[in-house]
Amino acid sequence: MSQTNQAVQVPVLPDKQKRAVSTVPPGERRTWLHLPALVYMIVLTQIPFLLAVWFSLHAWNLLVPSEGFPFVGLSNYVTEFVRDANFWPIMGNTLELVAGAMILALVAGTILALLLNRPMWGRSALRGIATVPFLVTPSVMALIWKNLFLSPSSGMVNWLLHFIGIPAVPWFSAFPLQSIIFIVAWEWTPFVMLVILAGLQSVPGEVLEAAKVDGANAITTFWRVVFPLLRKPYQIAILFGTIFIFQTFGEIYVTTSGGPGVTTNTLPYYTYRAALSSFQIGQAATLGVIGVIVAILAARGMLRLMTERTASERG
């Protein structure tokens, strides 16, 4: 009995008694984990960009192979900025598209977010339905608007206008760029709605109750109380929306093909035309490099604005 109650001693091996303590900080031991992602990003983004820069320094026309691949330095950039009569109007179209679509998406997305944040029956289903335009392929959405809604002969919009005595409107001929802006805004409204809706759900209920007790109406509550708290969601929506709307291509390709003239040409679409219509690879590479620089400057400007405001709030 006494032998049973005795504690059983298990021999401990010498290597188990003393473990070697690593002197390398945990952060340094995990440094190599990001290397595969870094290599992947370099291969997919930086190497193609460097090749585009290299091509932009040459005059390469696939239709005239006898000219070869001569080095012209910055001549392509001078041509675009100074001699190309279409460049600056196309840059204006690009900025108008980005600004117009972003403003419409912000307004419509905010209204949808406010409506879908209220308690109602079937709210989850309505939120899912509202995200459909953002999930559909841009070219498919553009074709739907072109043939089903904005067609001058069989479009639903002209059909409704007919009932109030307004003649049919050839939308893509009379208002080409405005029609594309509307389609792009329609596609990006759900994204803005989701970002703003996430911000609305993080607004403390006590703040809204305090505003209600003070006698503020719905508009005053939103503008004076809720809107300042949604600064970060709005900055995120504007940052990502600006970058991706700048790259709009499919909507232009399937609706107006850049016409009439260059009215709906944007920088990405003009780059496509230079490369695959005129086969001017040097010019197309130049336009691509300019587009990347413009997008980077816009993104850095937004990030700097967000950082400065955050630092001022903390200070």
Side-chain angles (χ1 to χ4, degrees):
M1 193 72 178
S2 60
Q3 294 178 355
T4 307
N5 294 333
Q6 292 180 354
V8 179
Q9 297 182 354
V10 179
V12 181
L13 297 177
D15 58 345
K16 298 281 186 173
Q17 292 177 347
K18 187 183 294 184
R19 295 184 178 179
V21 179
S22 177
T23 58
V24 182
E28 295 184 7
R29 292 201 300 267
R30 292 191 295 267
T31 301
W32 62 272
L33 294 177
H34 76 284
L35 291 179
L38 181 61
V39 173
Y40 180 79
M41 291 299 296
I42 290 175
V43 171
L44 289 186
T45 61
Q46 304 307 311
I47 293 179
F49 178 71
L50 293 177
L51 287 175
V53 173
W54 176 247
F55 291 154
S56 70
L57 302 177
H58 295 76
W60 187 13
N61 189 345
L62 295 181
L63 296 179
V64 189
S66 59
E67 294 182 355
F69 190 63
F71 181 82
V72 295
L74 299 178
S75 177
N76 287 329
Y77 293 91
V78 174
T79 300
E80 291 302 327
F81 285 113
V82 179
R83 301 173 186 170
D84 190 354
N86 294 326
F87 178 77
W88 291 111
I90 287 172
M91 283 296 296
N93 295 339
T94 306
L95 297 178
E96 184 178 350
L97 171 65
V98 173
M102 198 69 252
I103 291 173
L104 288 177
L106 287 172
V107 174
T110 300
I111 295 174
L112 275 177
L114 291 172
L115 292 175
L116 295 178
N117 192 47
R118 301 170 62 88
M120 65 178 70
W121 182 83
R123 182 173 60 177
S124 299
L126 291 175
R127 289 176 179 176
I129 295 173
T131 60
V132 170
F134 185 66
L135 303 177
V136 178
T137 304
S139 56
V140 174
M141 183 59 65
L143 284 174
I144 291 174
W145 275 99
K146 178 183 178 181
N147 298 321
L148 185 61
F149 293 105
L150 299 181
S151 173
S153 57
S154 59
M156 294 181 63
V157 175
N158 284 330
W159 179 73
L160 293 174
L161 293 178
H162 174 73
F163 281 96
I164 58 177
I166 299 177
V169 178
W171 296 100
F172 291 104
S173 299
F175 308 100
L177 186 58
Q178 292 78 7
S179 300
I180 294 175
I181 288 173
F182 180 81
I183 294 173
V184 175
W186 176 272
E187 295 170 355
W188 279 91
T189 294
F191 171 77
V192 177
M193 179 203 70
L194 291 175
V195 176
I196 302 304
L197 186 60
L200 287 172
Q201 292 178 349
S202 64
V203 175
E206 296 81 2
V207 177
L208 301 178
E209 289 294 334
K212 189 174 182 180
V213 170
D214 290 340
N217 56 28
I219 297 177
T220 304
T221 301
F222 173 77
W223 187 250
R224 299 280 185 174
V225 178
V226 178
F227 184 75
L229 298 176
L230 296 178
R231 184 186 304 174
K232 286 293 183 183
Y234 275 112
Q235 290 174 345
I236 293 173
I238 293 174
L239 175 63
F240 285 96
T242 299
I243 293 174
F244 286 99
I245 292 176
F246 179 82
Q247 304 173 19
T248 299
F249 174 81
E251 296 87 340
I252 301 173
Y253 181 81
V254 302
T255 54
T256 63
S257 297
V262 294
T263 307
T264 56
N265 265 240
T266 60
L267 194 56
Y269 190 81
Y270 194 45
T271 304
Y272 155 78
R273 286 183 53 190
L276 299 180
S277 294
S278 303
F279 297 98
Q280 296 279 358
I281 305 303
Q283 180 190 6
T286 304
L287 293 170
V289 172
I290 294 173
V292 170
I293 293 174
V294 171
I296 291 175
L297 291 177
R300 286 182 63 87
M302 283 298 304
L303 290 174
R304 178 172 295 182
L305 180 63
M306 294 166 61
T307 304
E308 289 178 354
R309 287 189 174 182
T310 303
S312 62
E313 291 174 357
R314 292 177 179 177

